[in-house]
Amino acid sequence: MLFTTKKVTIYTDGACKGNPGKGGWGAVLQYKHTTKEIYGGEEDTTNNRMELMAAIKALSSLKRHCDVDLYTDSKYVQQGINSWLENWKKRNWQTAAKKAVKNQDLWQKLDALCQKHTIHWHWVKGHSNHPLNDKADALANKGVEALK
């Protein structure tokens, strides 16, 4: 029996009202002709945590190994995954300045999820009228509003 890898496209975004403050995350997942939208929120959080949470929740919703194109407007997430993560792990979760990595708990969750999928990370400029990024942003704000 031949299994093919599902190709999934994901757009993620995080939002925060105050930093720290009430935060939300949102994601749009597309597989073939199906679109799924997810969102949520947390009290007393930061924008960076919500950006990470959006990617974590989106990848966690995948049921089996997928080939993923993941789009984020967060340089923090994109650079963290592509440039910083391996060195943080080598240095036992310390930065080059010998300080503890912020949001280590979420970076570790995201790292574990990255091992389950083939992920191609893409950065997209936020608030640039990209329909799916704008939708992820709207979902993240919906996550904040759901806390009220």
Side-chain angles (χ1 to χ4, degrees):
M1 184 179 234
L2 180 66
F3 289 100
T4 57
T5 302
K6 287 184 175 183
K7 292 191 69 61
V8 178
T9 301
I10 300 174
Y11 281 79
T12 64
D13 202 7
C16 210
K17 305 303 178 198
N19 202 17
K22 292 181 185 232
W25 56 266
V28 179
L29 297 87
Q30 293 185 319
Y31 171 67
K32 292 186 179 180
H33 302 292
T34 303
T35 299
K36 180 179 181 180
E37 298 175 355
I38 59 174
Y39 67 92
E42 292 182 15
E43 300 281 349
D44 194 31
T45 189
T46 65
N47 189 65
N48 283 341
R49 286 188 71 80
M50 293 297 91
E51 295 282 358
L52 286 164
M53 190 60 76
I56 289 166
K57 293 293 190 176
L59 293 170
S60 293
S61 73
L62 303 176
K63 305 271 189 265
R64 64 177 190 168
H65 178 275
C66 294
D67 186 6
V68 178
D69 278 303
L70 195 148
Y71 293 82
T72 177
D73 63 7
S74 169
K75 287 280 190 181
Y76 175 70
V77 172
Q78 190 245 353
Q79 289 179 331
I81 282 293
N82 290 324
S83 300
W84 306 330
L85 185 64
E86 287 307 313
N87 284 328
W88 287 340
K89 292 192 303 186
K90 286 178 189 172
R91 290 191 296 259
N92 198 25
W93 295 98
Q94 289 195 340
T95 65
K98 306 265 190 249
K99 296 192 190 272
V101 170
K102 289 182 181 175
N103 305 312
Q104 176 183 338
D105 58 330
L106 297 184
W107 282 113
Q108 288 174 321
K109 286 179 185 177
L110 185 56
D111 183 39
L113 288 164
C114 287
Q115 308 312 310
K116 296 179 179 183
H117 305 285
T118 302
I119 305 173
H120 312 278
W121 292 87
H122 307 277
W123 180 78
V124 61
K125 185 176 181 181
H127 309 286
S128 60
N129 296 322
H130 187 290
L132 293 174
N133 187 64
D134 289 349
K135 184 61 180 177
D137 178 66
L139 290 167
N141 282 294
K142 194 172 180 179
V144 175
E145 292 163 15
L147 295 172
K148 296 177 182 176

